[in-house]
Amino acid sequence: EAQVTQNPRYLITVTGKKLTVTCSQNMNHEYMSWYRQDPGLGLRQIYYSMNVEATDKGDVPEGYKVSRKEKRNFPLILESPSPNQTSLYFCASRGGYSNTEAFFGQGTRLTVV
Amino acid sequence: QKEVEQDPGPLSVPEGAIVSLNCTYSNSAFQYFMWYRQYSRKGPELLMYTYSSGNKEDGRFTAQVDKSSKYISLFIRDSQPSDSATYLCAMPSSRYSSASKIIFGSGTRLSIRP
C-alpha cells in the first residue's frame, strides 16, 4: 500500500529537549516536505526536499532542521523546541514532473511545555 | 494579503443539501487548482483537481474555476454525513509542479447534520 508514515503520532516534550519526527514514504517520490498546521493559519511549509541531499527552506523554517540522506526518509529535527512549536505536523511526498498530488502522513501532534 | 483565501467556517448544513465551498487567490499565474479533504485526526487527501478554467465533475463533487475572477469553488450535491471534514483548496505556485510548492488555503470546516 502506498503511504507516508510518520512517527510518533503524539509527542509531549519539554522546552529545549531535542527531538526528531521521522517520515518515510514507499512510493519512490522525489519531492518531500514538512508542514505545520495551526488553527486559522492552515498548512504552512517548513522545509522541502526535491531529492537526496537537496533541501530548502519553506515559509516557516526557523527552529527546524531536516536532512535527506535517503530518498524514502525525511526526518524533521527540533534542536531546542519551544512552546510556539506546539502544532500539528504533516509530512508529504509527491512524485515526479507535473505530478500535483501530495500524499500526506497521518500527522504528529506535538506539545512543547 | 494571503495568496489564497478561504472562509474557515464552520459551515453546518442538513443532509441532502448542496454545499458550496469557495476560495479566492491573488496570483494570476496559478493554473492548477486542487481540493483536499481532511478528516479529523487524519492527513489531507486529494479530492479533485482541475486545470485552468471551467468545470470538472466527479460523482457528487464538482470543481469550478473562474480565472477571470480568481475564484474557485467546490460543490457537493446530496451531501452526506460522511462528507463532514475540513476542505482545503490548494494551488502549486508554478506550472512546473515538481519544482514548486503547493500553497494551501486555511480550510473550511464542514459539518453535515443527519
Side-chain angles (χ1 to χ4, degrees):
Chain A
E1 181 191 351
Q3 60 185 4
V4 177
T5 304
Q6 286 179 236
N7 279 297
R9 292 287 312 277
Y10 301 92
L11 181 59
I12 301 175
T13 190
V14 296
T15 299
K17 185 176 182 183
K18 181 179 178 180
L19 65 92
T20 299
V21 184
T22 63
C23 174
S24 181
Q25 51 96 0
N26 63 1
M27 294 166 279
N28 201 36
H29 284 169
E30 288 83 15
Y31 193 107
M32 298 185 73
S33 53
W34 276 101
Y35 294 86
R36 59 178 290 173
Q37 187 174 37
D38 302 288
L41 298 176
L43 283 162
R44 293 180 293 167
Q45 192 179 59
I46 302 170
Y47 266 94
Y48 66 94
S49 169
M50 292 182 63
N51 216 322
V52 175
E53 303 293 0
T55 64
D56 209 346
K57 296 177 181 178
D59 297 317
V60 288
E62 293 76 22
Y64 304 95
K65 283 176 58 177
V66 293
S67 69
R68 187 92 181 272
K69 293 183 169 55
E70 305 165 286
K71 199 172 186 180
R72 63 182 292 127
N73 295 324
F74 190 44
L76 179 69
I77 304 154
L78 285 73
E79 295 266 2
S80 183
S82 62
N84 65 12
Q85 293 178 297
T86 292
S87 186
L88 179 58
Y89 291 86
F90 288 102
C91 178
S93 74
R94 274 159 51 194
Y97 192 79
S98 81
N99 189 320
T100 55
E101 180 172 6
F103 292 84
F104 283 83
Q106 294 278 64
T108 296
R109 171 80 61 185
L110 172 66
T111 303
V112 184
V113 298
Chain B
Q1 181 192 8
K2 288 183 182 178
E3 285 188 279
V4 178
E5 300 267 11
Q6 187 174 7
D7 187 333
L11 181 62
S12 180
V13 302
E15 183 175 354
I18 296 174
V19 176
S20 173
L21 304 167
N22 310 295
C23 284
T24 59
Y25 62 95
S26 59
N27 190 337
S28 57
F30 290 161
Q31 296 191 56
Y32 286 92
F33 305 92
M34 299 178 282
W35 287 95
Y36 281 78
R37 179 174 60 194
Q38 184 178 17
Y39 290 115
S40 181
R41 296 189 181 87
K42 300 281 189 183
E45 297 174 294
L46 182 65
L47 183 61
M48 291 184 72
Y49 75 90
T50 57
Y51 175 66
S52 196
S53 284
N55 291 359
K56 182 176 180 178
E57 192 173 313
D58 184 0
R60 296 183 295 108
F61 298 88
T62 300
Q64 190 175 78
V65 176
D66 181 351
K67 290 191 75 179
S68 62
S69 303
K70 300 194 187 72
Y71 191 88
I72 67 171
S73 301
L74 178 70
F75 298 97
I76 307 174
R77 291 187 301 280
D78 186 24
S79 55
Q80 305 294 310
S82 58
D83 296 327
S84 298
T86 296
Y87 291 79
L88 303 100
C89 60
M91 300 153 206
S93 61
S94 84
R95 178 175 182 170
Y96 302 102
S97 61
S98 66
S100 72
K101 70 176 184 181
I102 299 176
I103 301 168
F104 288 87
S106 55
T108 299
R109 190 150 50 99
L110 173 66
S111 176
I112 308 297
R113 305 190 302 271

